[in-house]
Amino acid sequence: MFHLILSFLVVYSATFKIDFNESELKGWYIINDGVMGGLSKGQAQFTDEGLLFYGSMSLENNGGFTSLRSPFSDYNLSEYKQITIRYRSKGISMALQMEEDRRFYYPNFKVKLPKSEAWVTKTYVLSEVRQYRMGYATGNLLQRQDQSEIIRMGFITDEKKAGDFEFEVAYVEFR
């Protein structure tokens, strides 16, 4: 019986954490709206606290986003119930985005991150994360099956307004 309890505790306490430091972030890259003709610009640099993603949003030429994304991989998140993000931001609102398909026009899931110039640590329930398609909510929520099919994560500007932004992230942890 002790072995069963110990096994349960190990499964329950398992986490997947992304520390935003130079040694752990191989392959993350920026995608600006220039892929569709826009003029927004995003850049990233490492800081003592994590990773700073910053730039400017432009709505010219049908622009309106810039993003920092992980490489495509198998991010099976089905064993996790929560996500915790430590960050600070100013300017344009950001969202953590999780994708199931390589095609940009397929639905994805977003955790909207309220602006805060001070460091904040926010925890969200994964089953309450909303699905979006081309920036519009579909009314669907992230299901366990969806969690098992995540192939890319990242951060994306989450407001259609021109201006500068700064978003610094220390970690993302799934529990």
Side-chain angles (χ1 to χ4, degrees):
M1 179 152 177
F2 178 76
H3 184 270
L4 292 175
I5 292 171
L6 182 59
S7 295
F8 174 76
L9 291 174
V10 170
V11 170
Y12 180 75
S13 66
T15 63
F16 168 53
K17 186 174 184 181
I18 302 168
D19 282 314
F20 284 82
N21 61 56
E22 200 162 358
S23 65
E24 289 197 30
L25 279 186
K26 307 255 188 271
W28 283 64
Y29 57 99
I30 292 176
I31 297 177
N32 294 316
D33 57 14
V35 298
M36 299 173 359
L39 302 173
S40 299
K41 300 284 184 211
Q43 300 178 58
Q45 69 183 45
F46 291 100
T47 68
D48 291 340
E49 301 292 329
L51 182 74
L52 176 64
F53 175 44
Y54 63 98
S56 62
M57 284 274 294
S58 171
L59 302 180
E60 294 181 41
N61 290 353
N62 296 316
F65 81 89
T66 182
S67 62
L68 173 69
R69 302 189 191 193
S70 73
F72 287 106
S73 189
D74 177 17
Y75 296 99
N76 184 348
L77 305 174
S78 62
E79 67 183 86
Y80 307 111
K81 292 182 174 23
Q82 296 180 330
I83 180 173
T84 300
I85 305 167
R86 180 161 174 74
Y87 72 94
R88 62 182 171 183
S89 65
K90 63 181 176 180
I92 296 169
S93 295
M94 301 294 292
L96 172 72
Q97 187 173 33
M98 295 175 278
E99 302 171 47
E100 296 176 281
D101 198 283
R102 288 178 178 256
R103 294 168 283 196
F104 74 89
Y105 52 87
Y106 268 54
N108 57 66
F109 297 91
K110 285 199 286 188
V111 177
K112 293 179 174 272
L113 303 170
K115 288 182 264 190
S116 173
E117 291 191 30
W119 281 102
V120 294
T121 303
K122 298 266 186 191
T123 299
Y124 301 89
V125 176
L126 284 170
S127 62
E128 296 174 1
V129 172
R130 298 191 180 284
Q131 184 184 61
Y132 291 80
R133 182 177 185 146
M134 301 298 291
Y136 297 97
T138 66
N140 296 328
L141 298 175
L142 182 66
Q143 303 293 312
R144 188 166 298 274
Q145 178 64 34
D146 299 315
Q147 288 178 235
S148 70
E149 297 173 0
I150 301 299
I151 61 170
R152 184 167 68 175
M153 291 182 276
F155 297 98
I156 189 165
T157 50
D158 198 43
E159 287 183 273
K160 280 285 196 179
K161 73 177 194 179
D164 295 335
F165 71 92
E166 289 184 9
F167 176 78
E168 190 171 9
V169 59
Y171 65 84
V172 173
E173 182 176 34
F174 294 88
R175 293 185 264 144

